[in-house]
Amino acid sequence: MNERTARRATLRWLTAALVATLAACGGSGGGNGAVWTPVQNSTPADPGQIPMPLAAIQIRTTSNRADLVSGGDVTLEVVLPSGAQASTLKVAVGGRDVSDAFATAADGRITGYVSGLVDGENVVSASASGARAASLAVTNHPRGGPVLSGPQITPFFCATPQPQAATSSTPATAPSGLGTVAVDAQCNIATEFKLYYKSTAANCALGLPDPFPAVNFAATTPPALPAPNSNNCFKPYDPAAPRPGDLATTTTDAGATVPFIVRVERGTLNRGIYDIATLFDPTRDWTARSPQPQWSGKVYYPFGADTGQPRRQVRPATNWPTGADVIGRGYLWVANSMTDSGANSNRLVMAETVMMMKEHIAETYGPIRYTIATGCSGGAINSNVANSLAPGLLDGVIVTCTFPDQETTGIEVSDCAWLVEAYAKPAWSALMAGLTPAQIDARKGAINGHPDASACNAWFNAFGGVSKPGIYTTRFVDASGNIATGASTNNCQLPASLVYSPTSNPTGARCSGWDWSASIFGKTADGSRALITRDNEGVQYGLSALLSGAISAEEFVTINEIVGGSNGDYEAQPARSVADSGALGIAYRSGLVASGRQMAGTAMIDLRGYDDSSMPTPGGASSAYPVHHIWRSFSMRERLDKSQGDHGNHVMWRFGRNGLSPSPALQREALDTLDAWLAAVGADTGSAPLAAKVRSHKPAGASDFCLLSSDATQSTRITDMAVCEQDPFLKPSRSPRQVAGGPLAEDILKCALKPMDITRYHGLLTASQQARLAAVFPNGVCDWTRPGIGQQDAISPAFVSREGLRALPPAPASRTN
């Protein structure tokens, strides 16, 4: 399907959904694991009409909104009015009788699971004696997607049962972990189920019992599949064989002790490969209407780290055996590679995939009580942004090494890359002549906002090329502090023949994050590339370092003269970078810039360790890539304060030892605390807004504390934040933009400009330096007291239509026939 056809199709189903809503007299979508709960409508009886007409049946989807269904199946509830005869209920889909799929549950609700939906509109109708018949338009989307995110990017290569080597026109394929090949271009592969049991063996390893190799994407020979570790904790389980003597037991949150047998469902959805792992009793059936009792109804969703946009289908980055603790407690553990940041940096596709996975769970496993997400780094971005894009998608998050979102994280990445390149230029080197390495490092740290230069060097080394759309040679700061070159690569992980080149292949695949998300941002007028938000016009690098005396006036003027920016292909240029204006509003409206207002109803626990520098923390080794800075947690909190007036849904537990990794005990406590928090919120059936419920039901243990770096046992909790701030491994640093005067929220992609005010420099600049600085900023400097260009409230949840990004309309509702 080409882009225009896909967008027209999207518009058609949304128009149909909107028409159904406007004509509605029933309700659809909502509870029992649905992503978004629509407003339920009703038609009051007309007291002037005699005799009174029969009341109408209502039809509701319960696994997702009626216009967002995917995969060809849906769970429905039929609500009969008083006086209607349930025994006469007839339900049909597109004229096909599906009445046998419906039954009355113990709570009196009439529910059913219906499969065989066609792509597009499916009319569900219901009739019964003593009631007016009704119908509901259910719009089904392909299992391979998309639902909300617009046309899928191509080319995209499917995984294979065994890894295959790269050729001149195809990349190396990743092993799928499935026994059959993809059946279509959306990489749909038949679902498989396997049983495993947890062994009682001491010191066993929580590795995959079906391991897969790391794939060298340029290799000409496929890697061999490794043999399973003989000391794996999880081993294949055969229900027809005698029970293994080393079969462990586990006690669930409900207090039931059961054999530790796990069923793993592996399949594909939205072009990603997913794993679902649950405790399972092989002697019993499991249906959505009658789940096995060891499942608590809770979903635990880990998001993978890193960030990238490879054009290949892979397995999830997080392996289900590492979730043994939560699985043993009765959680359903789920991961999909398209919700791993390293495999997919299109955050709308990520949120869409979470929605589709939750729908699948609700339709095949049963109603979801609540969903807890977790992740570090890029995984934390997904944990945070999912609820900014689609409030209510996740009920609670436990994040480590958090970033609020991708778009504003990219500000520091680009600033650091430009600054590192500037520090290597002759003009800066001349100023540093005669200074010691420590003195030079201190100046770089002051401009960067970091304790030293290592953090910006790390951004440069790890992600300096992530915005490159074509083939490029990697550049990195070596051990001597010089910029060196490395291998040739591309961010699509594709053969060179398929990748964009401005000269030899201008129509090839573009591999930047913005191009991967072109369906959201749109493209330039000539269609050559996606619109971008990267911008540093008006940014005065090192401003507060100048005012504090950390750098000289000449150093301040020089760094701003030489820092430059990048063009649309992320090639260095002397001029500053200027964002495409259309991209800025989209980044805010969509929720891609994490919105405190959108996230106010999410219970959040932030486990924050130290990664602001390569210097080692007490009790831990030094970080090779110190980019997960403490100030990011406070940035997220600042956004909540700005939008809500408080951060009552955000808890921060800081620890000053062992780098980024919280102890297993702290992680377990965070899960226990969040579990109790969400249970209390879920039990509140009052009419208060969700954000108010989250704040009023916060457990006593959900409060800020820190563990000082001097505390070798990490056992004394400090609740006086002033004491915490005195610890060098707990105190937040800043970013280059904050040093330039920007806000802690770091949510301004492009600043508004104002004329340069010479009094702002407190007489530190000579007349010549003033003139040089004015030449750098002919249009003015950043006015941080004003909102950013295009900065506005999010309209999310949103969808990509032919006209661009649009707010999702009200949910379709059933209508009286």
Side-chain angles (χ1 to χ4, degrees):
M1 182 181 293
N2 62 36
E3 182 173 341
R4 178 173 295 180
T5 303
R7 287 183 172 177
R8 285 177 175 171
T10 302
L11 183 62
R12 281 198 298 273
W13 68 255
L14 283 166
T15 301
L18 181 57
V19 170
T21 299
L22 293 175
C25 60
S28 171
N32 303 320
V35 177
W36 298 300
T37 304
V39 176
Q40 304 295 341
N41 303 308
S42 61
T43 301
D46 182 356
Q49 185 176 357
I50 300 176
M52 294 288 291
L54 295 174
I57 295 172
Q58 292 187 17
I59 308 170
R60 300 169 180 165
T61 55
T62 59
S63 51
N64 205 346
R65 284 176 43 135
D67 53 351
L68 303 179
V69 170
S70 63
D73 48 7
V74 66
T75 55
L76 297 155
E77 179 183 5
V78 176
V79 182
L80 297 179
S82 177
Q85 298 179 28
S87 61
T88 65
L89 174 66
K90 295 292 183 182
V91 183
V93 177
R96 172 171 56 100
D97 189 354
V98 293
S99 304
D100 290 345
F102 288 80
T104 303
D107 60 3
R109 298 170 64 223
I110 301 174
T111 60
Y113 166 77
V114 176
S115 59
L117 302 181
V118 299
D119 289 347
E121 184 177 284
N122 297 260
V123 177
V124 180
S125 59
S127 62
S129 298
R132 296 172 67 190
S135 62
L136 173 67
V138 175
T139 305
N140 176 60
H141 303 82
R143 182 181 183 89
V147 178
L148 295 165
S149 61
Q152 293 175 325
I153 200 162
T154 58
F156 187 85
F157 292 86
C158 306
T160 52
Q162 299 291 323
Q164 296 180 359
T167 70
S168 61
S169 59
T170 61
T173 62
S176 65
L178 293 160
T180 58
V181 298
V183 298
D184 55 28
Q186 289 182 300
C187 297
N188 287 310
I189 307 174
T191 303
E192 297 177 8
F193 297 86
K194 294 182 180 179
L195 294 175
Y196 300 93
Y197 75 94
K198 190 172 187 294
S199 171
T200 57
N203 302 316
C204 58
L206 290 173
L208 278 171
D210 60 333
F212 58 97
V215 178
N216 180 348
F217 304 124
T220 55
T221 57
L225 289 171
N229 186 337
S230 60
N231 193 37
N232 268 348
C233 296
F234 285 95
K235 301 178 181 179
Y237 180 80
D238 182 358
R243 284 204 166 184
D246 62 339
L247 173 60
T249 60
T250 185
T251 301
T252 69
D253 285 351
T257 299
V258 298
F260 208 139
I261 300 171
V262 177
R263 187 182 74 172
V264 177
E265 175 189 347
R266 179 169 295 152
T268 57
L269 189 145
N270 211 19
R271 303 203 297 186
I273 298 173
Y274 69 81
D275 282 347
I276 296 175
T278 58
L279 290 175
F280 192 76
D281 181 350
T283 67
R284 303 179 60 175
D285 291 333
W286 189 323
T287 66
R289 184 179 287 125
S290 182
Q292 291 191 4
Q294 67 274 10
W295 180 41
S296 62
K298 307 168 191 174
V299 171
Y300 186 85
Y301 206 128
F303 295 120
D306 205 347
T307 192
Q309 42 277 344
R311 304 291 188 92
R312 305 177 318 108
Q313 184 185 48
V314 295
R315 284 169 71 167
T318 308
N319 298 331
W320 65 264
T322 62
D325 179 59
V326 294
I327 295 169
R329 294 174 60 170
Y331 283 79
L332 180 149
W333 186 102
V334 56
N336 184 308
S337 57
M338 291 303 278
T339 59
D340 288 338
S341 188
N344 169 36
S345 62
N346 183 319
R347 309 301 167 176
L348 185 54
V349 172
M350 175 275 298
E352 172 184 71
T353 305
V354 176
M355 176 190 72
M356 295 170 74
M357 289 303 307
K358 289 187 64 177
E359 179 191 336
H360 173 69
I361 292 166
E363 291 165 354
T364 55
Y365 290 84
I368 298 172
R369 286 180 61 192
Y370 46 79
T371 302
I372 293 174
T374 185
C376 167
S377 193
I381 288 177
N382 282 350
S383 298
N384 291 326
V385 173
N387 271 349
S388 179
L389 290 168
L393 191 58
L394 307 172
D395 300 287
V397 299
I398 301 171
V399 291
T400 57
C401 40
T402 196
F403 298 111
D405 58 68
Q406 174 177 295
E407 289 301 308
T408 60
T409 298
I411 295 173
E412 188 175 45
V413 178
S414 292
D415 282 345
C416 279
W418 293 322
L419 287 167
V420 168
E421 295 279 13
Y423 297 142
K425 293 178 179 178
W428 180 263
S429 298
L431 290 178
M432 298 298 104
L435 299 180
T436 67
Q439 290 172 324
I440 296 171
D441 193 65
R443 282 160 172 75
K444 292 177 181 178
I447 295 169
N448 300 346
H450 307 147
D452 51 44
S454 62
C456 265
N457 289 346
W459 274 128
F460 182 81
N461 290 355
F463 294 99
V466 75
S467 293
K468 296 281 190 181
I471 299 167
Y472 64 97
T473 300
T474 57
R475 291 166 60 80
F476 61 94
V477 180
D478 63 19
S480 301
N482 300 313
I483 295 180
T485 57
S488 177
T489 188
N490 70 83
N491 294 312
C492 292
Q493 299 176 2
L494 291 178
S497 62
L498 300 181
V499 177
Y500 164 80
S501 165
T503 55
S504 62
N505 193 12
T507 61
R510 291 182 60 94
C511 305
S512 76
W514 285 286
D515 290 300
W516 180 249
S517 301
S519 63
I520 306 171
F521 286 109
K523 293 187 175 183
T524 54
D526 61 3
S528 63
R529 62 168 176 84
L531 303 179
I532 59 177
T533 63
R534 183 174 56 242
D535 191 284
N536 67 341
E537 188 180 23
V539 175
Q540 301 183 79
Y541 292 105
L543 176 61
S544 65
L546 166 71
L547 299 178
S548 69
I551 63 173
S552 70
E554 184 60 26
E555 289 162 352
F556 169 69
V557 174
T558 298
I559 197 65
N560 281 286
E561 285 178 320
I562 67 176
V563 70
S566 304
N567 63 16
D569 283 351
Y570 205 58
E571 297 168 329
Q573 62 182 24
R576 297 295 183 99
S577 294
V578 179
D580 296 305
S581 59
L584 297 168
I586 288 171
Y588 291 109
R589 287 200 310 277
S590 64
L592 287 172
V593 174
S595 162
R597 183 171 66 96
Q598 298 293 88
M599 301 175 69
T602 307
M604 308 167 72
I605 298 180
D606 186 335
L607 306 180
R608 170 51 72 181
Y610 182 84
D611 197 40
D612 286 32
S613 165
S614 61
M615 63 180 178
T617 58
S622 61
S623 173
Y625 295 102
V627 298
H628 308 93
H629 305 150
I630 293 172
W631 71 263
R632 294 286 183 178
S633 296
F634 289 92
S635 173
M636 186 71 254
R637 178 166 283 189
E638 180 72 6
R639 297 187 195 187
L640 292 165
D641 287 340
K642 285 172 59 178
S643 64
Q644 296 297 117
D646 65 60
H647 51 264
N649 62 317
H650 186 263
V651 177
M652 202 185 309
W653 295 351
R654 288 186 280 168
F655 48 95
R657 297 177 71 88
N658 304 314
L660 281 173
S661 301
S663 67
L666 201 60
Q667 295 180 61
R668 178 65 181 257
E669 182 180 350
L671 183 59
D672 289 341
T673 301
L674 189 58
D675 185 23
W677 194 349
L678 296 178
V681 171
D684 186 342
T685 59
S687 59
L690 177 60
K693 291 182 180 181
V694 169
R695 284 154 177 75
S696 64
H697 293 292
K698 185 194 297 188
S703 58
D704 292 353
F705 67 80
C706 75
L707 302 169
L708 299 176
S709 61
S710 58
D711 180 4
T713 63
Q714 294 287 277
S715 57
T716 302
R717 301 188 173 190
I718 306 299
T719 57
D720 185 342
M721 294 300 105
V723 175
C724 298
E725 297 306 310
Q726 298 304 310
D727 190 319
F729 296 100
L730 296 172
K731 181 180 177 63
S733 58
R734 295 186 293 171
S735 70
R737 289 288 164 109
Q738 290 164 49
V739 175
L744 172 60
E746 193 114 331
D747 55 357
I748 295 178
L749 297 169
K750 178 179 178 61
C751 66
L753 299 178
K754 65 179 180 180
M756 207 174 78
D757 179 3
I758 204 63
T759 65
R760 182 72 176 86
Y761 307 103
H762 300 174
L764 296 172
L765 306 184
T766 66
S768 173
Q769 290 168 337
Q770 293 173 25
R772 289 162 56 196
L773 197 63
V776 174
F777 301 111
N779 299 319
V781 297
C782 287
D783 183 353
W784 300 110
T785 66
R786 296 161 59 193
I789 303 300
Q791 192 167 11
Q792 57 195 274
D793 288 337
I795 60 171
S796 50
F799 69 97
V800 176
S801 74
R802 189 174 67 174
E803 290 75 22
L805 193 76
R806 293 289 183 269
L808 203 65
S814 62
R815 56 188 300 175
T816 304
N817 291 344

